[in-house]
Amino acid sequence: TSIAATTAYNTSVERRFNGRRHGDLWEACRDRMARFEEVLKKMRKDKVADLQEMPATMRRVSSALYIALRRADIVYTEVHKTEKEFYGKPSPVGPAGNDAQSQELYRLADKNIAEYRQQYAGVMAGVQRTEAQSAVFMTTVDTLRMKMLGYRLVGKGPEMQSHEFLEALSEAKLQLNAIDKALDELDMGHYPKMIAAMPPPPPTQSVEQVQVHPDA
């Protein structure tokens, strides 16, 4: 049945991510898209020109975020398997004394630690940027959704000028394009080139309700 298919699909979503950190971020993005689609359906009759392109832009960016979050999840999981016990620990302090060779060895140890932290930051940079882009996406969609609700429920009178609403749409589109560009330009050097074992496509009902999931 469709209910069973949707339940199975929702379970598969949880299994796509190794941890809750990025899985929850994706679920939050997906929830925003579902709410946006619901409001969009009610605005179709208004035939606002910009709304013809906006949904496609949002779905494209949402799909890009999904891939980026999957990759970020892989990197985050692999790094923390071995490094969570080490990163952030204080540098070793050499014993008091005047032995020049010992002091030089401790100086080298400190240098190695500094390089280790620099390498760690480089590997995790892509993860942090993806998380930040997800936050921008969610807040952009939230703001746009409320603008749409306000336009539809409060400001639909014939005397009301729609330029403010159209400006809001244009601003949202600029932000979405900026996210898309940032994800495209994100340094994926430390990320896996491919994601193995992609899950099957969602059931038809889920696609109709939330047109956001990338094809498997």
Side-chain angles (χ1 to χ4, degrees), residues 21-22 72 75-76 123-132 191:
R21 182 186 183 97
H22 298 101
V75 173
Y76 183 88
V123 171
M124 296 300 291
V127 174
Q128 294 164 356
R129 290 173 191 167
T130 299
E131 294 172 353
Y191 279 20

Side-chain angles (χ1 to χ4, degrees), residues 4-63:
T6 302
T7 301
Y9 173 70
N10 290 335
T11 301
S12 73
V13 169
E14 297 177 358
R15 294 176 180 174
R16 296 179 195 187
F17 293 89
N18 296 297
R20 293 290 300 275
R21 182 186 183 97
H22 298 101
D24 287 348
L25 273 176
W26 167 244
E27 282 302 302
C29 291
R30 191 174 71 90
D31 177 67
R32 260 54 171 214
M33 282 298 300
R35 295 172 188 271
F36 171 82
E37 297 282 1
E38 183 177 349
V39 175
L40 178 64
K41 287 180 182 179
K42 297 177 181 179
M43 284 201 67
R44 292 290 189 188
K45 60 183 179 180
D46 293 320
K47 297 181 179 179
V48 181
D50 294 55
L51 284 177
Q52 305 306 313
E53 296 182 8
M54 182 65 70
T57 301
M58 294 179 69
R59 292 168 189 141
R60 184 183 71 248
V61 175
S62 179
S63 295

Side-chain angles (χ1 to χ4, degrees), residues 48-50 162-171:
V48 181
D50 294 55
S162 62
H163 67 275
E164 291 184 4
F165 178 65
L166 295 177
E167 287 178 0
L169 290 177
S170 296
E171 182 179 351

Side-chain angles (χ1 to χ4, degrees), residues 16-18 22-23 26 63-79 123-124 126-128 130-131 183-196 198:
R16 296 179 195 187
F17 293 89
N18 296 297
H22 298 101
W26 167 244
S63 295
L65 273 174
Y66 169 80
I67 297 298
L69 284 169
R70 285 288 309 277
R71 290 171 171 167
D73 175 62
I74 293 171
V75 173
Y76 183 88
T77 301
E78 290 300 314
V79 170
V123 171
M124 296 300 291
V127 174
Q128 294 164 356
T130 299
E131 294 172 353
L183 291 172
D184 188 54
E185 294 178 351
L186 188 64
D187 181 8
M188 297 295 184
H190 298 292
Y191 279 20
K193 297 299 181 183
M194 296 180 64
I195 298 176
M198 289 293 286

